[in-house]
Amino acid sequence: MLNRLLRASPYIVVQLAAMYLYQVAGRIDFPAAPGRIGPDFWPKSILVLLGLVCVYEIIKNLLIGETFTAAGLLEKLMKDSGEVEGEEKQRSYPLILVGGIVLTIIYVVTISSLGFFLATIAYLALFMAIGRYRNWTVIAISSLLGALALVFIFMKVVYVSLPLGVEPFSVVSLWLLRVMGVH
Amino acid sequence: MEALVHLGNGFLQVLQPANLLVLFIGLVLGMLVAVLPGLTLVMGVVLALPFTYSMELLPAIILLTAMYVSGTYGGAFTAILFRIPGEPIDVPLLWDGYTMARKGQPAKALGWTLFAALGGGLVTTTVMVLASAPVAKFALAFSSPEYFAIIIFGLASVVSLGGGSITNAAISLMLGLLIATVGVDSIYGAERFAFGVPFLQDGIEYLLVMVGAYGLGEVFTRMEKGFAGDGAPADTDRSINTEFPTIAEMLKLKMTFLRSSLVGIVVGIIPGAGATVASFVAYGAEGQYGKRGKDLGSGIAEGIVAPQTAATSSVGGAMIPLLTMGIPGSGATAIILGAFLLHGMQPGPQVFVTSGPFVYAVFASIFLGVIGMCIIGYFAIKPLVKVLELPEAVVSAFVVMFCFIGAFAARNNLSDLYVITAFGILGYLFEKFKFPIAPMVLGVILGPLAESSFMTMMVSHGNDWTVLMGRPISATVMVLAVIALVYPIQRQLREKTRRSGS
């Protein structure tokens, strides 16, 4: 039963979300014109279809316990070639994944304060380390040169205004831009 | 005749040094992306997009299309030499390409790949040049029901032809269509699913969905697999040559070549089916209809020529609906459409009227790209396969950076970084639970077009949706869409009956 519940869980989550969003769509505020469909019609239609597909999968997985499914052409071709099964046998490293996601979220949160250059050096180095790479010299050099190269390419060549950060970190960003001749 | 003049002028434009340089860079980048197993072709084109922001439209499109073309070829090197398919496209090359190499003929296997990529590329480009203008002219007569039907067909094929189960693909597609409705709608000005959050009121840019789900999502997925420690899984120091097949040998494979070119072009035109499907279908067709079909897998040339020709041929096919109707059929063409829109140009039936010379310049760049990629492939295999030595963790760290910069640079908005991180996690969850990403991305891209053509159709025809079945073109296309959806289900039922019987 637990297996069935696990298999059905993504569909249950999507189904619940679809039901909630249907409620939200019902509250869309617009000047209704007689005889014309409103802006809620399209999302509601999609949500109904989404709900129907999810109900089908929930019943199939949870109640009937059926695992057989209609596959897309590419899936079938890959399965026939044995590629799909080959991929599934790989080892899993959930802690590395969690570390990578947390690090990425921290980067996004701190980039406006630290500035692109400093935040990127730290992110690149930590990401490589979390990703089980252990050549510290390469990590140090590639993080520093990589961040420098990205700043140069995007601020000097492509003219993208990357975040400079706030004091005192912005001092480093501004100094770097002066050295690179970016005004 | 006029087309030839335009094409000639197109060649002159592309042959300007700056454009040639961009073409060269695009070809090399496409090959590198194809060689690296951690980077897919679509992801590579996504990562290149931010570099095009400050470019003129023509070099921007040249860069992306060059990557698209050469991305269908570069992975063949590592598949044949080291049994490492850089892309799913190259999986069929393992069966005969790698086997031929193991039999002591790696140079010959590479030569056949080069022949197939060059031939398939030139055929598809010729078809693209000849067919695009008439298709665009035909499409000028389309009204909202025809557009809506074509989009529905495109979305139905994405669901039925892609990876994953049909229901998961359908859920992915509908989530994409829903994401496209976030923000203020264009007809009534009503706010939908924004929940009072300012950046949601502007809508969710499909670029963010693509970069997040394809780029970050793929990195997270590979991260969970622990990344390959130090790269260099194979002996990249040995001598690597290419031996071109003789004319007599090529002539023997003319039917394989023609069949696979046709498969590639047709599959390319069908939305949702890209180079990977073309490669597998052509290999399957060769097994069924080829003279030596039964010998496939034993290291014969047909097993190399069929998938490679079809993969490269699919590029020209995919460009036809993109340029003539503004409908991208694959991830890569969706990004190319994004580049068009970012530079203020909407591809569609009018494009030959308003920007004919530009379109022919794009055609010329693809012609030159096909030739250029083969020249680079001939002379630079060794340095190209050296990128396998790069540690995956290092490459992935930079991939994330390019994703972030690409997302940020589009609107200079830090909130977009949160959006792509969210879509990165969603992309990972999709991979984890076997939901294909492509339908969601195409849903986000085609959603607004689908909704606006649907609303226009309903307004123009008094809320009568049966108009779809009352017009010959839309009715035919809708029937095709139904077939596309029903066929896999019918196949499933047949398979289930067979399984329960045995």
Side-chain angles (χ1 to χ4, degrees), chain A residues 7 10 13 16 19 26-27 30 42 50 63 74 82-83 90 93 112 129 141 147-148 152 164 171-172 175-176:
Chain A
R7 271 206 315 268
V13 171
L16 291 173
M19 285 161 64
R27 296 197 297 269
F30 65 97
W42 180 254
L50 183 61
L63 302 180
L74 182 60
E83 285 303 308
Q90 285 192 354
Y93 297 84
S112 54
I141 293 172
L148 275 173
F152 182 79
L164 299 174
V171 176
V172 180
W175 173 80
L176 191 65

Side-chain angles (χ1 to χ4, degrees), chain B residues 420-439:
Chain B
I420 72 155
T421 306
F423 278 105
I425 296 170
L426 187 68
Y428 159 75
L429 290 173
F430 266 44
E431 285 279 339
K432 178 93 181 160
F433 293 104
K434 308 259 176 265
F435 286 79
I437 294 171

Side-chain angles (χ1 to χ4, degrees), chain B residues 89-142:
Chain B
I89 304 166
D90 305 308
V91 169
L93 286 174
L94 297 177
W95 305 322
D96 284 271
Y98 179 69
T99 311
M100 187 185 272
R102 218 175 44 185
K103 282 180 174 173
Q105 293 181 294
K108 196 78 184 177
L110 290 170
W112 278 116
T113 317
L114 183 70
F115 157 71
L118 180 65
L122 291 178
V123 167
T124 193
T125 319
T126 308
V127 171
M128 181 176 68
V129 172
L130 295 176
S132 291
V135 172
K137 204 171 172 186
F138 180 61
L140 274 172
F142 288 2

Side-chain angles (χ1 to χ4, degrees), chain A residues 11 35 37 39 49-50 57 68-75 77-78 81 88 90 93 97 123 132 142 161, chain B residues 95 160-162 164-168 174 188 192 220 224-227 280 400-401 408 428 434 463 491 499:
Chain A
Y11 307 106
I37 51 175
L49 286 173
L50 183 61
E57 279 293 337
F68 198 70
T69 186
L73 179 66
L74 182 60
E75 178 81 357
L77 292 168
M78 298 288 270
S81 74
E88 280 170 354
Q90 285 192 354
Y93 297 84
L97 170 71
Y123 180 81
R132 299 193 305 145
S142 61
S161 176
Chain B
W95 305 322
S160 66
L161 296 177
S165 81
I166 298 286
T167 43
N168 285 4
M174 283 181 264
Y188 287 86
R192 298 187 296 194
F220 290 149
E224 194 189 20
K225 290 172 185 165
F227 288 141
F280 276 94
V400 176
M401 272 307 116
F408 173 75
Y428 159 75
K434 308 259 176 265
N463 286 348
R491 196 181 61 205
R499 271 184 5 151

Side-chain angles (χ1 to χ4, degrees), chain B residues 182-185 190-204 411:
Chain B
V182 173
V184 176
D185 99 292
E191 191 182 294
R192 298 187 296 194
F193 307 123
F195 304 103
V197 180
F199 73 84
L200 286 181
Q201 286 164 349
D202 294 338
I204 296 175
R411 300 197 290 192

Side-chain angles (χ1 to χ4, degrees), chain A residues 18-30:
Chain A
M19 285 161 64
Y20 168 70
L21 289 174
Y22 192 89
Q23 296 283 321
V24 175
R27 296 197 297 269
I28 292 173
D29 188 25
F30 65 97

Side-chain angles (χ1 to χ4, degrees), chain B residues 202-220:
Chain B
D202 294 338
I204 296 175
E205 287 279 322
Y206 74 81
L207 183 74
L208 304 179
V209 180
M210 274 195 309
V211 173
Y214 274 124
L216 276 187
E218 178 68 24
V219 168
F220 290 149

